Amino acid sequence: MFTDHTLTVYSILVLHGPNLNLLGQREPGVYGLTTLNDINQMLIAEAEKLQEEGLTLKVTAFQSNHEGALIDAIHGAIGQHQGIVINPGAYTHTSVAIRDAIAGVAIPTVEVHLSNIHRREAFRQHSYIAPVAIGQISGFGAESYRLGLRAIVAYLQQQSLNTHP
Ligand code: CA2
């Protein structure tokens, strides 16, 4: 009888879109007091917690206010990261280019939002990203990111079980 001691290692890229660098510093009434750094630290803490479940998780976070920089980061994920968690910010509602990049790299991606975009203005209720994402988590504040990280990891684990039963 063989016991599989294979170490499961996943590297996840977390992308934050435009204006999210202002989190916790401006408009706390809309987006709360949590800063982007708080969110990134929370995700690193979550990765350490998953370590106790036998999973080695590396989290790399990147924020940009520029569409092209986000697209370059998505392209750069090929061969480096197994999953992406992205809050595309306002590009959610405008960017065919980010959608094409996600579809192009074919890396499983979870879309996250702090606010519930479906109960906000009509223009925020459409996402160009959702059709190329595994799923969308929206409306739980900073917790959306933690849930997004959990979701991508659960997806990758399931995929690996399907490939190597
Ligand atoms: O709810 C979300 O996470 C959004 O992606 C946030 C975007 C918004 O355009 C999307 O419709 C929904 C805006 C992020 C702006 O963040 C700020 C934070 C503090 C001050 C000003 C903007």
Side-chain angles (χ1 to χ4, degrees):
M1 184 188 164
F2 295 97
T3 312
D4 190 356
H5 288 293
T6 312
L7 195 66
T8 312
V9 182
Y10 294 125
S11 179
I12 307 297
L13 178 64
V14 178
L15 291 176
H16 308 283
N19 296 310
L20 288 161
N21 54 311
L22 296 178
L23 272 183
Q25 301 165 38
R26 299 270 193 284
E27 293 195 59
V30 183
Y31 294 109
L33 285 167
T34 307
T35 66
L36 200 61
N37 188 47
D38 292 337
I39 291 176
N40 291 336
Q41 291 307 315
M42 179 190 74
L43 293 176
I44 288 163
E46 190 65 17
E48 281 165 8
K49 219 156 120 195
L50 284 165
Q51 185 113 24
E52 291 157 24
E53 295 173 25
L55 205 75
T56 300
L57 199 63
K58 190 177 160 224
V59 173
T60 305
F62 175 71
Q63 187 275 334
S64 180
N65 295 321
H66 304 277
E67 192 173 18
L70 292 164
I71 292 166
D72 286 345
I74 293 165
H75 293 177
I78 297 173
Q80 303 297 319
H81 303 287
Q82 286 71 52
I84 297 174
V85 174
I86 184 169
N87 181 349
Y91 287 140
T92 304
H93 323 296
T94 63
S95 183
V96 176
I98 291 179
R99 174 201 180 119
D100 286 350
I102 292 169
V105 298
I107 296 172
T109 297
V110 173
E111 175 184 352
V112 301
H113 295 284
L114 298 158
S115 61
N116 179 351
I117 59 171
H118 302 286
R119 59 189 283 186
R120 297 189 64 188
E121 303 96 318
F123 69 87
R124 292 190 205 274
Q125 291 175 22
H126 174 260
S127 167
Y128 278 102
I129 311 304
V132 296
I134 299 163
Q136 182 193 72
I137 298 167
S138 181
F140 299 96
E143 181 70 6
S144 291
Y145 282 91
R146 205 180 61 80
L147 294 169
L149 187 66
R150 283 268 174 185
I152 193 73
V153 168
Y155 178 88
L156 293 171
Q157 282 179 313
Q158 191 55 51
Q159 221 188 21
S160 142
L161 271 179
N162 293 342
T163 330
H164 321 281

